[in-house]
Amino acid sequence: MAQLWFETALLPQGWADRVRVRIDGGRIAAVETDATPAPEGERHAIAIPGQCNVHSHGFQRGMAGLTEQRGRPDDDFWSWRELMYRFLDRLDPDDIAAITAQAYVEMLETGYTRVGEFHYLHNAPDGRRYDTPEATAAAIVEAARQSGIGLTLLPVFYAHADFGGAPPAPGQRRFVSDLEGFARLVDTSEKPLGEDDRLGIAPHSLRAVTPDELSHLTALRPGGPVHIHAAEQTREVDASVAQLGARPVEWLLANADVDDRWCLVHSTHLTEAETDALASSGAVAGLCPVTEANLGDGIFPARRYLAAGGRFATGTDSNIQIDVAAELRALEYSQRLRDRARGCLANADEPSVGGRLFRAAGAGGAQAVQGDFGIAVGHSADIVSLDADHPSLIERRGDALLDGWIFGSNRPAIDCVWRGGKRVVSSGAHVARADVAARYRKTLAKLLA
Ligand code: ZN
């Protein structure tokens, strides 16, 4: 049985000092406070639990920064999407594995220990199914194994270009399924998964899935996570009103059994009534503030949503930047810029912005991808240690450590990361960083030549 000892640690009941964590079979077997370090155990400074990343498209890491040049005066999400379609058109399963592994290594180095992969690149470039239908799912599992990150695979159903069952566009041929083919794909995607992986369902959006298809999909994996993109763009909201007579989140709450299995990704454009209703549904809002800023999506009404008791988690989505701290910081800053105020997402019970956001995102993330959050007996040993000598952390205690890390660290403040009890990051660097980066470099050299 391995053991780790920390000078201070964030536990579910709060911060505690001199914490000893015993690990057995990748899970936490005991947590003792005011403990003396065992002579044979490792000693570290500051422990916090790993976070779950609820929304990732791993392959998009390979195009980070390539779409920052203005193409035309009305550049927006939709023109970005055309470029993204051109990029993904060239990827084979080996490329997907190489790029996704790079993204997952970076997730672990920045504090994410499980990822919900919203996986829609199912078909070969010509639109045909691969001979092994789960070829691209297997590439994602390979990336998860190589990096050691926990995986919640979310195969995406995508059938239409827009509301009203519009036929898919040529650029979407790598995503498209019918219901029968998709059910088979979900079954075969289970093959490469390991005991610690989870499998859910992701109806892409109300644009790409009809109401009838949606009801079939949510029955495919009873009890498993259901993730859907919703209300990321105002054009999508307008089309939803025109076609379905309701805004996307309004429609889902009225017509689908949205409960704690569900993660509504983005949910950017909400009325006050939708905000309150989503907050009381038990579902998680999957917020991706860095990507939403990058794509010019809009600002999520986080202040009202959190005040109404809403659950949320973070996702790195396009993987333009991968960093737990950056997502939480961007979320708070979006509210500050809109409201010209500070401390927007803290409250009287939890006055530390970083502390409140870290705990709330952790709980919501674990719910949305059916992972664990918290240094507690029975949980997967997914632990992050912070560097006590980092300039933003010196002489900080308790939640001030989280505030220092989230708001003040302009270089990585993470020292080690354990995932399932195995140390995968040491002195800020992933143990497989060099190998993964070499393969990634070769892959991009081929793709971008
Ligand atoms: Zn997405």
Side-chain angles (χ1 to χ4, degrees):
M1 190 184 287
Q3 44 180 293
L4 303 171
W5 183 91
F6 301 94
E7 285 167 24
T8 188
L10 177 60
L11 305 180
Q13 62 272 29
W15 286 91
D17 289 342
R18 303 169 59 76
V19 173
R20 185 163 54 201
V21 180
R22 295 179 199 264
I23 299 168
D24 193 14
R27 303 215 148 247
I28 296 174
V31 181
E32 299 150 82
T33 59
D34 287 320
T36 44
E40 71 280 12
E42 292 177 36
R43 299 173 185 207
H44 299 274
I46 304 155
I48 58 175
Q51 286 269 346
C52 297
N53 178 359
V54 299
H55 192 66
S56 160
H57 310 286
F59 74 85
Q60 291 182 14
R61 181 65 183 144
M63 52 182 283
L66 293 176
T67 59
E68 303 304 321
Q69 296 175 36
R70 180 170 144 134
R72 48 181 217 223
D74 61 343
D75 264 343
D76 62 5
F77 170 85
W78 307 101
S79 56
W80 169 83
R81 195 180 70 160
E82 284 166 30
L83 294 170
M84 189 263 287
Y85 283 1
R86 291 221 296 269
F87 180 74
L88 69 81
D89 232 10
R90 312 171 201 182
L91 305 178
D92 64 26
D94 197 56
D95 302 331
I96 294 169
I99 298 172
T100 304
Q102 175 65 30
Y104 290 177
V105 159
E106 295 180 66
M107 285 176 200
L108 284 159
E109 288 180 345
T110 59
Y112 285 117
T113 46
R114 173 173 288 272
V115 59
E117 182 68 26
F118 199 96
H119 169 53
Y120 59 87
L121 202 47
H122 304 306
N123 304 330
D126 63 4
R128 272 185 297 195
R129 276 267 189 265
Y130 285 103
D131 294 339
T132 316
E134 71 279 16
T136 58
I140 286 162
V141 176
E142 181 194 332
R145 287 300 96 83
Q146 197 181 4
S147 65
I149 202 164
L151 176 67
T152 299
L153 185 67
L154 302 161
V156 173
F157 179 79
Y158 199 112
H160 311 285
D162 213 336
F163 288 91
Q172 296 161 341
R173 65 187 175 275
R174 298 200 69 180
F175 325 150
V176 172
S177 302
D178 57 22
L179 283 171
E180 208 179 304
F182 182 71
R184 268 201 308 277
L185 182 66
V186 172
D187 279 347
T188 55
S189 296
E190 203 162 8
K191 271 197 269 174
L193 295 181
E195 200 184 304
D196 191 41
D197 298 321
R198 310 272 181 275
L199 181 64
I201 290 290
H204 180 273
S205 58
L206 292 177
R207 283 186 276 121
V209 179
T210 63
D212 187 45
E213 287 160 348
L214 183 65
S215 60
H216 282 92
L217 295 167
T218 54
L220 270 183
R221 303 277 311 167
V226 181
H227 287 224
I228 186 167
H229 289 129
E232 180 178 10
Q233 288 287 320
T234 53
R235 186 170 114 186
E236 170 202 347
V237 174
D238 296 343
S240 180
V241 171
Q243 289 287 336
L244 300 174
R247 304 162 60 85
V249 172
E250 179 189 17
W251 189 92
L252 284 167
L253 291 172
N255 295 282
D257 291 325
V258 174
D259 60 10
D260 58 10
R261 292 169 68 194
W262 286 69
C263 178
L264 273 60
V265 179
H266 304 301
S267 301
T268 309
H269 300 286
L270 301 179
T271 62
E272 290 188 348
E274 282 178 296
T275 307
D276 297 345
L278 180 60
S280 52
S281 70
V284 170
L287 308 179
C288 311
V290 169
T291 294
E292 288 152 9
N294 183 267
L295 297 181
D297 288 342
I299 298 174
F300 176 77
R303 254 181 141 168
R304 185 179 180 101
Y305 182 75
L306 263 64
R311 301 174 190 180
F312 80 95
T314 64
T316 58
D317 193 5
S318 69
N319 294 311
I320 176 86
Q321 184 191 8
I322 295 172
D323 188 349
V324 172
E327 296 295 345
L328 296 174
R329 186 167 60 236
L331 177 61
E332 167 71 15
Y333 282 175
S334 67
Q335 312 295 301
R336 291 188 189 186
L337 289 164
R338 184 196 59 204
D339 296 347
R340 286 171 284 164
R342 302 190 73 252
C344 294
L345 299 177
N347 65 10
D349 293 339
E350 289 180 283
S352 150
V353 177
R356 185 175 191 214
L357 291 180
F358 184 80
R359 279 184 282 268
Q367 176 183 318
V369 296
Q370 298 188 346
D372 290 329
F373 173 71
I375 301 172
V377 173
H379 282 184
S380 177
D382 299 348
I383 301 171
V384 174
S385 75
L386 299 177
D387 171 10
D389 293 326
H390 190 284
S392 300
L393 304 185
I394 289 168
E395 285 301 312
R396 269 71 162 180
R397 303 275 305 151
D399 279 357
L401 289 164
L402 295 171
D403 287 327
W405 169 48
I406 292 167
F407 292 99
S409 56
N410 53 2
R411 67 170 170 80
I414 287 175
D415 183 23
C416 299
V417 177
W418 295 264
R419 154 67 205 153
K422 251 179 73 184
R423 178 148 53 161
V424 290
V425 173
S426 217
S427 300
H430 191 282
V431 293
R433 182 197 263 191
D435 291 346
V436 169
R439 184 178 173 199
Y440 177 74
R441 202 176 304 122
K442 249 171 77 183
T443 301
L444 282 210
K446 181 192 84 175
L447 291 169
L448 302 179

